[in-house]
Amino acid sequence: MIVTCPTCASRFQYGDERFQGAPSKRFRCPKCDHTFEVLNPAGPAEVPRPVEMPPTPAQPPPKPTETSRRRGRDAMLTLSGLKNDGMPPGLRFSLAFLTGPFASSVRVLDSPVTIIGREEGDVVINDPEISRRHARIEIHPDGTVWLSDLGSTNGTTVGSAPIQEATRILDRQEFSCGRSTFMLLVRDTNAIGME
């Protein structure tokens, strides 16, 4: 199974046999040292499991019985969920944290959909003014980026205006969730010699 750290969103392979029949195990992220609970996928039926999003129509679903060992690099990344399928080619999207707990840091957005939240999501921020699932950033194949509020208590603002529906955000545009302010950064990887 693939284990995702709720703090830094790093993903790691974790063998099902390591549970040894236990309903869950504590896991320490080797990148950020955050410790969290991992549920046994073979555990009792009453234990809730996270819902996985179905693959996009352009991608065939991965075969669950196949192993990623002895496969090419791209096949391994696709099976582990780390390949950037669905992202516009030639562009790199990042989120700069301007204020809040992660101020002065930058996070690369490697998935077409990124959820920002206090307890759930791809960007988890310990900010009491951010809702459990606060906002969604969607990167479309044409390179446009859209920000939506997910019914949060304190709302999501672009500039100083609260958003009511999906709103397009541009390179270097700022938006806020709770006490955290972010800036979207879009880079042409061909222009700066990146892959």
Side-chain angles (χ1 to χ4, degrees), residues 1-4 11 41 49-55 62 64 79 81:
M1 70 181 288
I2 300 298
V3 174
T4 303
R11 295 180 180 191
R49 302 254 337 264
V51 177
E52 293 185 18
M53 297 297 291
L79 287 174

Side-chain angles (χ1 to χ4, degrees), residues 68-170:
S68 60
R69 291 183 183 177
R70 296 187 181 99
R71 291 182 155 271
R73 182 177 185 272
D74 286 343
M76 182 181 70
L77 291 174
T78 299
L79 287 174
S80 66
L82 297 175
K83 191 170 180 189
N84 295 342
D85 289 337
M87 296 292 282
L91 295 174
R92 183 179 72 179
F93 300 86
S94 303
L95 203 56
F97 297 81
L98 303 179
T99 64
F102 297 132
S104 301
S105 63
V106 176
R107 165 125 181 234
V108 174
L109 303 178
D110 55 6
S111 172
V113 177
T114 301
I115 302 294
I116 298 171
R118 185 183 70 245
E119 296 175 8
E120 291 181 18
D122 306 296
V123 178
V124 176
I125 302 170
N126 187 14
D127 178 345
E129 293 188 20
I130 289 182
S131 295
R132 184 174 59 84
R133 288 174 52 90
H134 195 101
R136 176 178 55 238
I137 300 170
E138 293 181 74
I139 302 169
H140 290 197
D142 63 0
T144 60
V145 182
W146 297 83
L147 176 68
S148 302
D149 184 78
L150 298 176
S152 66
T153 303
N154 294 317
T156 302
T157 60
V158 174
S160 60
I163 62 171
Q164 304 300 320
E165 57 188 29
T167 302
R168 184 173 177 190
I169 53 175
L170 305 171

